[in-house]
Amino acid sequence: MRDLESIADCRALVERFYDAARRDPLLGPVFAARLSRVWPDHLETMTRFWGAVLFAQPLYHGSPIERHQGLPIEGAHFRRWLDLWTEAVDGLFSGARAEHAKRGAARMAERMAKSVSGFASNTTTITPARQ
C-alpha cells in the first residue's frame, strides 16, 4: 500500500470515511441532521482541511471547533469517529503521512471532545479501538 501523496488521495480518504460515518448508527444521525443537504460542500471542505493538515498548504481556513458547537455529541461519538477514520486510513494507505493523518485525527478528537462536549479529556484519552 502506498502513502497519501496528493489532494486526490485526501479526497479518497474523506469519501471513504464519510461513507462509513453516514451509515454508522451512532454518527450517521448526527451527520444527517446537520449536513443532509450540503454533503458535496462538506466533502470538499474536509478534503481541503486534511490537505492542509497533511501537506502544510493553505487550503483550509476556518474554525472546526466553532462549527461543531451545539451538536449533540459526546465522548462516544469522538471515539467512534476516530475508529472510523483510522479504519479508512488503514484501508487505503500506509506510510508517514498516513500515520500523520491518524495522529492528527486523534489530536483533533481530543480538542473537539474537550471544547465541544466538555468531555474530560484530562482523565480519559480518546484513542481508536484499534491501534
Side-chain angles (χ1 to χ4, degrees):
M1 225 181 301
R2 66 182 180 80
D3 204 354
L4 285 139
E5 298 171 352
S6 67
I7 298 303
D9 289 343
C10 288
R11 178 66 181 213
L13 176 56
V14 164
E15 287 178 357
R16 184 169 182 149
F17 165 75
Y18 279 105
D19 182 54
R22 291 171 79 171
R23 290 181 283 120
D24 187 76
L26 180 63
L27 297 180
V30 176
F31 283 115
R34 182 78 172 253
L35 301 170
S36 64
R37 288 180 277 238
V38 295
W39 274 110
D41 294 339
H42 186 67
L43 294 176
E44 180 59 33
T45 298
M46 292 298 91
T47 297
R48 287 192 321 269
F49 173 82
W50 284 105
V53 169
L54 297 173
F55 301 108
Q57 295 180 8
L59 302 169
Y60 173 84
H61 304 286
S63 177
I65 290 175
E66 249 180 56
R67 302 286 297 167
H68 292 80
Q69 292 293 333
L71 290 175
I73 51 180
E74 54 191 35
H77 292 91
F78 292 103
R79 281 189 204 95
R80 185 64 183 144
W81 179 87
L82 190 55
D83 285 345
L84 292 178
W85 180 258
T86 300
E87 289 171 14
V89 172
D90 289 345
L92 294 172
F93 303 102
S94 67
R97 279 202 183 104
E99 293 305 312
H100 181 57
K102 292 187 288 186
R103 284 189 312 273
R107 285 190 304 273
M108 179 59 73
E110 283 286 325
R111 282 190 302 247
M112 290 279 227
K114 184 177 180 183
S115 297
V116 173
S117 67
F119 182 69
S121 62
N122 60 340
T123 58
T124 306
T125 301
I126 295 177
T127 57
R130 197 181 74 171
Q131 287 191 357

